[in-house]
Amino acid sequence: MKSRKLSRKRRRATIFTAAAASVVAGVAMLPNWSAGASTVDQPTVDKQTKATFQNLADAVFTDRTDALVATDKQQYRGRKSLSNRFHGDVRLSQSLTRDEHTAVSTLQDRKKRLASLGEQYSGGKTSVTLDKTRVNGRHATAEVTETTTLTYAKAKGKQPRTTGFQAHHKLSFTADRDGDWQLTQVRDTDDGVAVNQPTAPTVKAPATATDDAPPEATRSAITRNPAAAPKNLTSGTYNYQAMADYAKKYWSSYNPDYPDFNGAGEGGDCTNFVSQSLKAGGWKHVPGDGTDFHKWFGNSDIQSDSFVGVNEFSWFALSSKRVTSLANVYQLDVGDVLQMDFNKDGSKDHTMIVTSRVNGVPYLSYHSTNTYNRSLASIIASYPNAAYYAYRT
């Protein structure tokens, strides 16, 4: 979750849903019909039309996922766009067709960057469920949930076989004069990042912090093969495997003992989720004024800003010495924390926890968008210009 909006100003930023300014955002189509032309007065959205809405959404997001999969695999070689096969009653608008072509090209470039980092996906599976449909005259919206799983190519030993995520989207349709529905806009409604999301989230300019000298985190390098920074995972104050196990258990099915900060205006659930994982591994509450970043606590009823806010968490973790900064992100190990500043404005935007490390590569899980075992290489390939902050817990 982004830093909370308080009576006293704090340094914060709120992630906008990425598609609000991304290449996938289409322009709402306005009818331009000639005078006297025969039109359908009230286009309908029956059960069959809703099913086609869902199928078209499935095709759009499957096209994006396929763009990330290695093309030397027989089932993906030469595959044509699934969304372009829709014609007639429900189809893409011309504008969105162009935008989705650009989105797929962007993801294909990301696939090349991933390959240069030594990572490929050998397969992918995307499915979409239709959650809600609204119709207002010649306009309709469909809210959908996307579930995507990608298979790591040549996974060996303890390396995760798959990575996956759940994302929520809002689709806008406009009916033409014949009553046929055209998909004009795809908007992501999560405050987070998905591997097949074409562009990075945009963020608001941060407010000025007025706290008494909050500690500044040190930026971490993103180069491969850094100097070793071994972590003792089996002895000490904290149970790091318990942290990872908690994250693996609740990455998609949220723990009802805590509030969910996803949704419009909530700022996202990423830091709340990481704090819960750390608590499961032995981090103790520091009770007190919830707006004081030196305090840290969270339960079903109340949470400190440092429990749920990205920047406040960093300030607490560093000032309490529960974490130390790592020089390089590839030094991260199980139970460690990674934060990102997408536009390098000095205000952090996203928090993740390491749930696995194999062959020198950390794998991270997070909320907003709900994601498990995403490789660090994939994150860097998707956001090469972000600032990264790695913490040893």
Side-chain angles (χ1 to χ4, degrees), residues 24 35 43 46 93 96 100 124 138 155 157-158 170 195 199 212 219 221 234 236 284 304 320-321 328-329 348:
V24 298
D46 56 17
S93 69
L96 192 57
E100 282 302 315
R138 311 194 76 85
K158 295 182 179 180
K170 187 173 184 179
V195 64
T199 59
D212 296 330
R219 280 181 56 180
T234 58
K284 302 300 183 183
S304 64
S320 65
K321 303 190 184 305
N328 190 290
V329 293
K348 302 169 190 67

Side-chain angles (χ1 to χ4, degrees), residues 72-89:
D72 58 347
K73 302 300 175 182
Q74 184 64 40
Q75 66 268 37
Y76 295 96
R77 189 182 301 133
R79 178 182 285 189
K80 295 183 180 180
S81 168
L82 298 177
S83 58
N84 286 344
R85 299 178 186 177
F86 284 74
H87 301 283
D89 293 348

Side-chain angles (χ1 to χ4, degrees), residues 92-314:
L92 292 181
S93 69
Q94 290 184 354
S95 174
L96 192 57
T97 298
R98 291 191 296 269
D99 290 341
E100 282 302 315
H101 177 75
T102 301
V104 167
S105 296
T106 298
L107 293 169
Q108 289 171 338
D109 289 339
R110 181 176 300 172
K111 177 175 63 178
K112 294 176 183 177
R113 290 197 299 272
L114 267 173
S116 71
L117 294 171
E119 182 170 299
Q120 287 184 318
Y121 300 121
S122 60
K125 179 178 176 55
T126 291
S127 62
V128 169
T129 57
L130 181 64
D131 302 322
K132 185 182 298 184
T133 305
R134 290 190 177 93
V135 182
N136 183 12
R138 311 194 76 85
H139 300 278
T141 59
E143 297 177 16
V144 302
T145 298
E146 171 197 0
T147 302
T148 290
T149 302
L150 287 158
T151 302
Y152 288 114
K154 301 179 181 179
K156 297 179 180 179
K158 295 182 179 180
Q159 181 180 351
R161 274 21 183 197
T162 61
T163 180
F165 67 89
Q166 290 180 333
H168 302 90
H169 312 275
K170 187 173 184 179
L171 283 62
S172 298
F173 294 85
T174 300
D176 60 21
R177 66 182 183 183
D178 297 320
D180 296 334
W181 292 100
Q182 297 189 35
L183 177 58
T184 59
Q185 184 184 61
V186 177
R187 184 170 66 85
D188 301 328
T189 57
D190 294 318
D191 294 317
V193 290
V195 64
N196 67 353
Q197 182 176 300
T199 59
T202 57
V203 296
K204 286 183 177 180
T208 302
T210 57
D211 300 88
D212 296 330
E216 290 293 335
T218 302
R219 280 181 56 180
S220 304
I222 59 174
T223 52
R224 293 294 296 266
N225 303 315
K231 180 177 184 178
N232 190 334
L233 297 172
T234 58
S235 64
T237 306
Y238 304 121
N239 186 334
Y240 300 110
Q241 191 56 52
M243 296 175 183
D245 290 343
Y246 182 96
K248 291 175 183 177
K249 180 177 181 179
Y250 291 111
W251 74 269
S252 63
S253 57
Y254 285 34
N255 188 341
D257 291 336
Y258 295 92
D260 174 2
F261 289 102
N262 286 315
E266 294 288 356
D269 198 61
C270 61
T271 307
N272 182 38
F273 173 64
V274 168
S275 289
Q276 293 172 36
S277 301
L278 296 171
K279 183 179 172 181
W283 276 36
K284 302 300 183 183
H285 283 173
V286 181
D289 181 358
T291 64
D292 180 355
F293 69 78
H294 298 95
K295 311 302 179 183
W296 184 86
F297 54 88
N299 54 38
S300 59
D301 299 318
I302 188 171
Q303 309 80 37
S304 64
D305 293 346
S306 59
F307 199 90
V308 298
V310 181
N311 292 293
E312 290 90 340
F313 172 86
S314 174

